[in-house]
Amino acid sequence: MTKRKSEGSLSRPACQPFERQPEALLREHADLLNLTHDAMIVRDMDASITYWNRGAEKMYGWTAQEALGRSAPELLKTVSTVPLEQIESQVLRTGRWEGELVHHRRDGTPVVVASRLALQRDEQGEPVAILATNTDITQHKRAEEARRDLEEQWQAAFEANPTMYFIIDAGGAILSVNPVGAEQLGWRVGQLIGQPVLNVFHEADRAFVQENAEQAFRQPGRVMRWQARKVRKDGTVLWVRESANAVVLRGGPVLLVACEDITERRRAEEALRESEERFRTLVKFSFDVYWESDARHRFTRQEYSERFDRAPAPGSEIGKTRWEVPYLAPDEEAWRRHRAALDAHVPFRDFELARATSDGGVRHVSVSGLPMFDEAGRFRGYRGVGRDVSERKRADDALRAHLSFLESMDRVNRAMQGTNDLEKMMSDVLDAVLDIFACDRAWLTYPCDPGAAGWRAVMEQTRPEFPGAFSLGVELPLDADVATVFRTARAASGAVSFGPACELPVPAHLAESFSIRSVLAMALYPKADQPYLFGLHQCSRPRAWTAQEKRLFEEIGHRLADALTSLLIFRSLRESEYLTRQVFESASDGIAVIGRDCRYQRVNAVYGRHWGMSAEEIVGMHVADIFGTEFFDHTVKPSLDRCFAGEQFTFAEWYTTDPGRTYLSVSYSPLRLGAERQEAALVITRDLTHHVLASEALREAQAALARVNRVTTLGVLAASIAHEVNQPLGAMVASAGSCARWLAAQPPELDKAQRSLERIARDGKRASEVIDRIRALVMRQPPRRDRVDLHQVILDVLAFTRDQMRRNDIALQTALADDLPPVWGDRVQLQQVVLNLIVNAIEAVSAPGSRPRQLVIGTSQAEGGVCFEVRDSGPGVAPEIADTLFEPFHTSKAQGIGMGLSISRSIIEAHGGQLWTAPNLPHGAVFQFSLPAGQREP
């Protein structure tokens, strides 16, 4: 059945922007129909299954994971009256095929489906996939076959019955005759059809026959009997006894005539007895019961066939009339008409009644009878037959129920599919449900949540005589009775009934408030929202809901939940599209969508104003037409390639354009737009020129304040600096004296003199470093980015402040972490921050008091960086100034200017870190900052 592409066929070209592959489009379409109960299957041209929806899983028993990749004909064991190759050929030729197929489920059972095949082609016209939509019609086929079997049985009984049967129209023409009737008259069936029926009667009897036939047409349903002579083709005459009954068909009234040949009976009594015996034999094997009654319609004889099981006890009904025997049906009116026919002494046919059996069941019997008269014409009673039609009645009832079910579901489905408006769909469905169930109210409430604070009715349809129970859209508090109903519905797997003779009683408060006698309710679970409660009210009378009604109600509920899911998703999608459009058009940033061909597919007004053009003018242009070829090739194109490869990134830099030099932040995001690969790039540009210029001005101002702060700090550190410089100078003088003595000795001690000179050189370098650090703090130097060892910065600052700690009797403790990674930054600025924090801590613990003067300086590794902290045992930070501690010109010192901590925080944040404070229990404060670690410059 499948057609494989030749190995030499051309490969498919790449898709243009926004062009969807046919197979992907087919799969997306099938996904949208995934909620249907039909089986949706996509297979490629090698018959391999590429898509298998939930309807297919339910219908055939294989999950999508099991079915994907397998051959569809082999998996389903497809059987068709049309060769599969012929179906494949028609699909390839015309693009579609519809017909019936027989598939097999996973358990091997056959399923008859109405299959619709649709061919999908690519842009070159090559077939790429076939979508199969399969509807399970197994039950329908079975019902159809049952109907055909019944028709065939009737036709067989009509044609093979030894009695002559004629069907006559109102004009007297023969519409149908069974082969026996035609044969007994010496004609073929085709020779009699269409001929006047009077032509087969003896000329002397034609007027009599016509009069009886006309009377039968005037009284449809009444059986007329007469005897007349018919003439065979060869001219011989036979006597017949005819029973005629007029019925009204769709095409008009017809007369059903059963003709009994009574020639022999009229010739001889013996022949009559033999005929009666044959009749009794026919009754015995054709019917289930033979009965006779007297002139007062009391049973005088009853004979049951062997296949008539559960028959009444012999003689138990003798002497009783038919209506004196207990019965379940028909009603009184039907009995009245039947008794009137009996009293009129006319034949009757197919009078149906239902009786209870000894085992508690119900038997349906169809009874027919003929009046009996003696030779004087006096009525003697009836004789007749009965047939057990229980199985036929059950089949008819099941068929009618099934047809009613299908008609009801079709009506509900049409209501669901008639609109995309959620409220109108709910209104139309409830209107149909109200009529289908002939109830007094149909409604939907939301949410069906026993734990919610309130609930509301979202839609209701009612009978005019029973006004609405709910105020639509009004939020009502959730009371205990309503919560019980919600909880019961949520706990059930299907519909729940309330009321007399039902599973649960109607809560008294609800019954009184809403005039409810019976309720049928079911929780609905749409996938895009909270549960709803779907229900019916019967107010006019108590109602016991039948199993068939519950099944129909549950099926409608499931379909309604699916429809709610679809329309809620549709509404959400519409709202999402609206919000996206509003954000796109009203955004203050420039936004553009660029396809793989590097042409603009959509831009907003802000983007157009940046280039001095309207958005409509830019759409369709190549990006190089805006930026220039050189800039596009070196800057824009590489960024678009990264984005189309799936990368999302943002960068900012200065751009020189016709309007001037601007600083732009540009972000690239890949867009899939329903396809599997990135088909477009979303580019967002933000003009940060004014922000960057303001930031640079702020940094310059902060640098100036930092210099002021450093100079101010130098006054505090003057004594310590002098001490640090005097130390190496004093050491150099002492080493020079020692060197002179070692050289003057006899003989000179050159080794010791050389060591003295080395000490002089080391102390000189130490003094030079102290001077360099002082110069770096005072001079205005641009920030540098180098790899900085934070431990060395700390040690340098401790060298400045050690003498001040010694004078204030401060105990210093260091806890420096091993293997601390370096950081990238300006060494002088970081040194200033550490110096500010340590000097602040020294001043805090130097205040008068009896607490121990302790200072702890430590480092540690944090996630992605390093952490520095200074802990002091001073008075701590007062709560009322904690929130403003890092603001400019805020200070808690009598001589402070309030810039140290503000500048320190600005420096740390400029390095990508954070500076904060916390209490040091039991007393004191902790100042900490974190910096990102890095082995290379960011």
Side-chain angles (χ1 to χ4, degrees):
M1 177 176 176
T2 59
K3 177 181 178 182
R4 300 180 180 271
K5 293 184 179 179
S6 63
E7 296 181 357
S9 62
L10 295 176
S11 61
R12 295 179 61 196
C15 286
Q16 295 299 318
F18 290 97
E19 181 185 352
R20 301 179 179 176
Q21 299 286 352
E23 185 176 350
L25 178 61
L26 186 59
R27 184 180 299 109
E28 181 182 75
H29 184 209
D31 286 341
L32 293 176
L33 297 177
N34 201 27
L35 298 178
T36 69
H37 292 278
D38 291 342
M40 306 292 295
I41 303 172
V42 179
R43 63 177 180 84
D44 60 21
M45 301 313 296
D46 292 330
S48 295
I49 297 172
T50 61
Y51 181 76
W52 184 271
N53 77 335
R54 285 195 291 275
E57 292 181 342
K58 183 176 180 180
M59 183 180 295
Y60 298 116
W62 286 281
T63 65
Q65 185 177 4
E66 295 171 330
L68 292 180
R70 299 183 64 177
S71 170
E74 294 177 2
L75 179 67
L76 302 177
K77 298 182 177 62
T78 305
V79 178
S80 172
T81 57
V82 180
L84 299 183
E85 292 78 11
Q86 183 176 337
I87 296 175
E88 180 83 359
S89 176
Q90 180 178 339
V91 172
L92 293 175
R93 186 175 66 258
T94 66
R96 59 182 58 253
W97 177 85
E98 294 184 6
E100 293 182 6
L101 299 174
V102 178
H103 290 161
H104 290 79
R105 298 185 176 95
R106 184 171 190 169
D107 59 6
T109 58
V111 54
V112 183
V113 299
S115 184
R116 299 176 294 282
L117 305 183
L119 179 67
Q120 296 294 317
R121 299 178 181 273
D122 60 16
E123 60 271 19
Q124 283 79 33
E126 289 291 325
V128 294
I130 293 177
L131 167 65
T133 304
N134 296 331
T135 304
D136 187 354
I137 60 171
T138 305
Q139 296 300 326
H140 173 73
K141 292 293 289 185
R142 288 174 180 168
E144 199 172 62
E145 290 173 0
R147 180 182 59 79
R148 283 200 301 267
D149 289 344
L150 289 174
E151 291 178 352
E152 290 173 0
Q153 290 170 12
W154 183 90
Q155 189 68 24
F158 179 78
E159 294 181 354
N161 201 296
T163 302
M164 292 184 288
Y165 286 108
F166 288 80
I167 301 178
I168 314 300
D169 66 12
I174 300 175
L175 296 177
S176 181
V177 58
N178 67 341
V180 173
E183 182 181 355
Q184 287 189 1
L185 294 177
W187 300 91
R188 292 193 301 273
V189 172
Q191 292 174 320
L192 291 177
I193 300 298
Q195 297 297 320
V197 69
L198 293 179
N199 289 353
V200 302
F201 283 91
H202 194 280
E203 186 175 358
D205 294 340
R206 290 177 184 176
F208 166 74
V209 171
Q210 183 171 0
E211 181 183 352
N212 280 278
E214 290 174 353
Q215 185 177 358
F217 274 115
R218 287 194 298 270
Q219 302 181 51
R222 179 180 179 183
V223 178
M224 302 291 295
R225 293 178 57 231
W226 62 82
Q227 296 180 9
R229 288 167 291 177
K230 287 186 176 181
V231 181
R232 294 188 178 96
K233 184 178 180 181
D234 60 3
T236 59
V237 176
L238 73 158
W239 277 89
V240 294
R241 180 185 180 186
E242 294 192 333
S243 299
N245 187 15
V247 296
V248 180
L249 304 180
R250 285 181 296 179
V254 297
L255 193 65
L256 308 180
V257 183
C259 305
E260 180 185 358
D261 184 356
I262 60 171
T263 304
E264 295 298 326
R265 187 180 62 185
R266 292 182 65 89
R267 291 175 180 175
E269 186 67 22
E270 183 62 29
L272 178 59
R273 284 197 300 270
E274 292 177 358
S275 176
E276 288 179 349
E277 186 62 31
R278 288 195 298 271
F279 174 75
R280 289 183 180 278
T281 303
L282 176 64
V283 168
K284 180 177 180 181
F285 290 100
S286 299
F287 301 95
D288 297 311
V289 60
Y290 172 82
W291 60 269
E292 294 179 358
S293 62
D294 60 17
R296 299 174 61 183
H297 311 307
R298 295 174 300 189
F299 288 118
T300 59
R301 185 173 184 175
Q302 288 180 327
E303 295 179 8
Y304 296 94
S305 68
E306 295 178 356
R307 63 176 178 272
F308 194 83
D309 59 341
R310 299 176 296 174
S316 62
E317 297 180 0
I318 301 300
K320 298 179 181 179
T321 62
R322 185 172 290 109
W323 49 90
E324 289 175 341
V325 177
Y327 61 87
L328 302 175
D331 57 20
E332 291 300 323
E333 176 60 21
W335 275 116
R336 187 192 65 77
R337 292 195 302 268
H338 178 61
R339 293 180 65 175
L342 294 179
D343 292 339
H345 306 159
V346 295
F348 66 90
R349 186 183 184 89
D350 295 331
F351 175 70
E352 291 190 2
L353 59 133
R355 290 180 174 176
T357 59
S358 57
D359 59 358
V362 178
R363 184 195 302 281
H364 294 270
V365 180
S366 176
V367 181
S368 300
L370 296 173
M372 297 183 295
F373 300 90
D374 59 17
E375 294 179 356
R378 291 186 297 269
F379 175 68
R380 294 175 46 219
Y382 273 91
R383 71 160 57 95
V385 294
R387 180 181 289 109
D388 187 345
V389 293
S390 301
E391 290 300 324
R392 191 199 72 192
K393 287 286 290 184
R394 280 193 285 270
D396 290 345
D397 291 343
L399 180 59
R400 281 194 297 271
H402 185 63
L403 291 176
S404 175
F405 180 89
L406 295 179
E407 291 171 358
S408 300
M409 289 308 304
D410 179 66
R411 182 175 176 184
V412 170
N413 286 336
R414 281 188 278 110
M416 292 177 181
Q417 297 165 7
T419 178
N420 285 332
D421 182 78
L422 180 62
E423 283 71 22
K424 188 174 189 317
M425 183 277 292
M426 292 189 292
S427 176
D428 292 347
V429 169
L430 292 185
D431 187 55
V433 168
L434 189 72
D435 186 56
I436 290 170
F437 287 91
C439 57
D440 298 320
R441 298 191 190 106
W443 42 266
L444 271 173
T445 63
Y446 174 89
C448 180
D449 182 2
W455 61 281
R456 66 183 187 276
V458 295
M459 190 57 61
E460 182 183 31
Q461 293 289 0
T462 69
R463 299 279 181 199
E465 59 269 29
F466 294 99
F470 311 110
S471 298
L472 297 184
V474 176
E475 190 78 16
L476 299 174
L478 186 70
D479 58 31
D481 287 342
V482 176
T484 299
V485 173
F486 286 172
R487 190 175 298 106
T488 303
R490 292 284 295 271
S493 59
V496 182
S497 57
F498 300 81
C502 294
E503 303 164 16
L504 299 166
V506 178
H509 172 67
L510 295 180
E512 181 180 354
S513 300
F514 303 128
S515 301
I516 305 171
R517 306 291 295 278
S518 298
V519 179
L520 186 62
M522 174 183 179
L524 308 184
Y525 300 92
K527 296 181 175 60
D529 204 348
Q530 297 185 65
Y532 288 69
L533 186 66
F534 170 42
L536 308 176
H537 282 171
Q538 193 71 46
C539 305
S540 56
R541 58 182 173 83
R543 181 169 179 175
W545 309 94
T546 66
Q548 181 67 19
E549 288 173 333
K550 286 187 177 181
R551 174 173 169 266
L552 176 59
F553 182 75
E554 289 174 355
E555 185 63 26
I556 292 174
H558 293 317
R559 297 287 182 90
L560 182 55
D562 292 342
L564 286 171
T565 297
S566 300
L567 290 186
L568 287 169
I569 292 175
F570 179 75
R571 172 183 282 183
S572 176
L573 179 61
R574 233 174 11 189
E575 292 174 352
S576 176
E577 290 175 348
Y578 172 77
L579 291 175
T580 301
R581 185 166 57 253
Q582 289 295 102
V583 170
F584 190 88
E585 297 299 337
S586 62
S588 59
D589 299 331
I591 304 176
V593 177
I594 302 174
R596 280 187 170 271
D597 58 353
C598 298
R599 293 187 178 275
Y600 289 101
Q601 296 177 353
R602 185 178 180 185
V603 299
N604 67 349
V606 176
Y607 194 91
R609 285 197 299 270
H610 180 77
W611 297 104
M613 292 185 288
S614 67
E616 292 76 12
E617 291 177 302
I618 295 179
V619 172
M621 294 180 63
H622 197 281
V623 178
D625 297 337
I626 298 291
F627 286 91
T629 303
E630 183 177 355
F631 187 83
F632 171 77
D633 292 337
H634 290 85
T635 304
V636 181
K637 184 65 165 59
S639 298
L640 289 174
D641 291 340
R642 289 173 60 189
C643 185
F644 290 141
E647 184 178 354
Q648 181 174 348
F649 58 93
T650 301
F651 64 87
E653 61 182 44
W654 287 97
Y655 291 87
T656 302
T657 60
D658 292 340
R661 192 163 182 265
T662 57
Y663 190 86
L664 299 179
S665 171
V666 184
S667 68
Y668 286 81
S669 301
L671 293 179
R672 287 182 170 80
L673 301 177
E676 293 184 352
R677 69 170 187 163
Q678 291 77 22
E679 294 295 338
L682 176 66
V683 181
I684 301 176
T685 60
R686 176 173 295 179
D687 189 346
L688 300 177
T689 305
H690 296 296
H691 174 76
V692 171
L693 294 176
S695 297
E696 291 179 352
L698 177 62
R699 281 197 296 270
E700 290 179 0
Q702 289 175 338
L705 288 173
R707 289 195 302 276
V708 173
N709 184 64
R710 286 197 295 269
V711 173
T712 303
T713 305
L714 285 177
V716 179
L717 301 178
S720 177
I721 293 172
H723 176 76
E724 290 294 329
V725 173
N726 285 333
Q727 277 189 344
L729 291 178
M732 291 169 62
V733 172
S735 297
S738 299
C739 181
R741 287 194 301 273
W742 298 127
L743 292 175
Q746 294 296 328
E749 296 190 26
L750 298 179
D751 292 340
K752 293 181 179 180
Q754 183 177 357
R755 285 196 294 273
S756 296
L757 290 174
E758 291 174 352
R759 284 195 297 273
I760 292 171
R762 185 171 62 251
D763 290 334
K765 184 176 180 181
R766 177 181 168 194
S768 175
E769 289 177 351
V770 172
I771 300 302
D772 287 341
R773 287 196 296 271
I774 296 172
R775 184 184 297 111
L777 287 172
V778 177
M779 292 180 63
R780 178 176 181 176
Q781 295 180 350
R784 297 176 55 189
R785 290 283 181 172
D786 299 306
R787 196 166 70 167
V788 178
D789 183 352
L790 188 59
H791 282 171
Q792 189 59 50
V793 171
I794 296 170
L795 295 176
D796 289 345
V797 173
L798 289 178
F800 292 151
T801 58
R802 195 178 302 276
D803 183 64
Q804 187 177 358
M805 295 183 199
R806 195 164 34 247
R807 289 199 310 271
N808 289 283
D809 195 23
I810 297 173
L812 174 65
Q813 180 181 350
T814 59
L816 305 183
D818 296 333
D819 300 325
L820 193 71
V823 297
W824 279 95
D826 186 286
R827 180 185 181 87
V828 173
Q829 289 185 350
L830 295 178
Q831 193 176 54
Q832 179 182 353
V833 173
V834 174
L835 179 61
N836 281 342
L837 297 180
I838 291 179
V839 169
N840 287 347
I842 291 174
E843 293 176 352
V845 299
S846 298
S850 59
R851 285 191 297 268
R853 299 182 176 184
Q854 297 175 343
L855 206 62
V856 179
I857 299 173
T859 59
S860 62
Q861 293 193 41
E863 183 177 357
V866 300
C867 184
F868 167 82
E869 67 175 18
V870 178
R871 294 179 178 268
D872 64 62
S873 59
V877 178
E880 59 270 14
I881 67 170
D883 294 336
T884 59
L885 191 62
F886 294 96
E887 294 181 1
F889 306 109
H890 179 88
T891 181
S892 59
K893 305 176 187 177
Q895 305 299 324
I897 63 174
M899 293 303 300
L901 289 177
S902 175
I903 293 173
S904 297
R905 171 173 275 188
S906 298
I907 292 173
I908 293 300
E909 290 179 349
H911 283 72
Q914 291 181 321
L915 173 62
W916 68 94
T917 184
N920 182 31
L921 300 178
H923 45 259
V926 181
F927 283 83
Q928 297 173 295
F929 67 77
S930 63
L931 291 171
Q935 297 298 324
R936 60 182 180 85
E937 185 174 4

